[in-house]
Amino acid sequence: MTDILPILYVPDPRLRAKAKPVTAGDPRIPALAEQMLATMYKAPGIGLAAPQVGELLRLVVIDIRPDEKPDPMVLVNPEIVAESKELATREEGCLSLPGQFADVTRPARVKVRWTDLAGAKRELEADGLLSACLQHELDHLDGRLFVDHLSALKRNMLLRKLAKELKAKERE
Ligand code: K2U
Ligand code: ZN
């Protein structure tokens, strides 16, 4: 049985750290990726980055169609190698900022390179939801959160609201 991992919430400092590259053949990765996928599906979410479960490693899992036939992606040391000038705006949430949502503008399309669990080099051009999800998850690997793409006013409002709601939950 794959255990579900606790997801860190803002303002945990580990969410602001820069994650370290995964060493090729690191034996912890397959099990960690499996635990991250189980945690993501249960949340539910369509993406999860290792820093969100306290592992400061450059590892991301994604499945943008969780309710259909699962189609999980495991990305080791992913990097964006190209992005479109054209932008796209979409409402984003984050499992580390529960209940908070805001419109985020990002490049509409990205080209991403990564290593998969078999050690093969992969490359993909994404648009739409997958493009937003890849950029959102890869931000996590550099300690960036979707609120960092908002105005300071909106970011502070959202962070204050989150802190209030998490405190209220603690008191329940
Ligand atoms: O916290 C996370 O990294 C999971 C994110 C992934 C994500 C955020 C914004 C846009 C795309 C992906 C979400 O919490 S997963 C929940 C979700 C589900 C459907 C659409 C958007 C977000
Ligand atoms: Zn997130």
Side-chain angles (χ1 to χ4, degrees):
M1 172 65 183
T2 304
D3 31 314
I4 303 296
L5 302 171
I7 294 178
L8 302 182
Y9 291 157
V10 163
D12 191 304
R14 286 168 286 181
L15 291 170
R16 289 309 197 171
K18 188 168 170 52
K20 295 203 175 1
V22 171
T23 312
D26 180 338
R28 294 176 299 166
I29 299 306
L32 175 57
E34 194 185 335
Q35 289 170 332
M36 285 173 63
L37 280 166
T39 303
M40 179 193 78
Y41 287 126
K42 183 163 179 308
I46 56 172
L48 193 67
Q52 294 183 273
V53 291
E55 292 289 344
L56 297 187
L57 290 170
R58 301 189 81 78
L59 173 65
V60 161
V61 296
I62 287 176
D63 186 344
I64 58 167
R65 287 184 306 280
D67 30 21
E68 291 157 40
K69 195 173 81 56
D71 174 21
M73 286 174 72
V74 175
L75 298 95
V76 176
N77 298 329
E79 49 187 354
I80 291 175
V81 293
E83 57 186 38
S84 63
K85 271 201 273 313
E86 189 197 345
L87 302 175
T89 299
R90 166 187 300 274
E91 185 179 58
E92 296 196 11
C94 181
L95 298 173
S96 298
L97 292 96
Q100 311 308 316
F101 300 90
D103 279 355
V104 177
T105 299
R106 299 178 186 272
R109 289 177 306 286
V110 285
K111 185 188 279 190
V112 179
R113 275 198 200 122
W114 73 96
T115 304
D116 65 16
L117 281 181
K121 295 274 181 240
R122 308 287 298 275
E123 184 176 294
L124 164 77
E125 283 204 29
D127 63 2
L129 179 58
L130 180 57
S131 171
C133 185
L134 282 162
Q135 293 179 72
H136 178 110
E137 300 311 333
L138 271 67
D139 269 356
H140 274 299
L141 302 183
D142 292 327
R144 258 195 315 276
L145 300 169
F146 79 88
V147 292
D148 299 336
H149 298 277
L150 308 180
S151 68
L153 183 72
K154 264 202 206 148
R155 174 168 53 256
N156 294 331
M157 275 167 54
L158 196 149
L159 291 174
R160 259 200 307 277
K161 184 164 161 284
L162 174 66
K164 218 166 93 232
E165 289 172 10
L166 289 177
K167 229 195 299 299
K169 241 188 251 175
E170 266 165 33
R171 276 199 293 273
E172 266 166 23

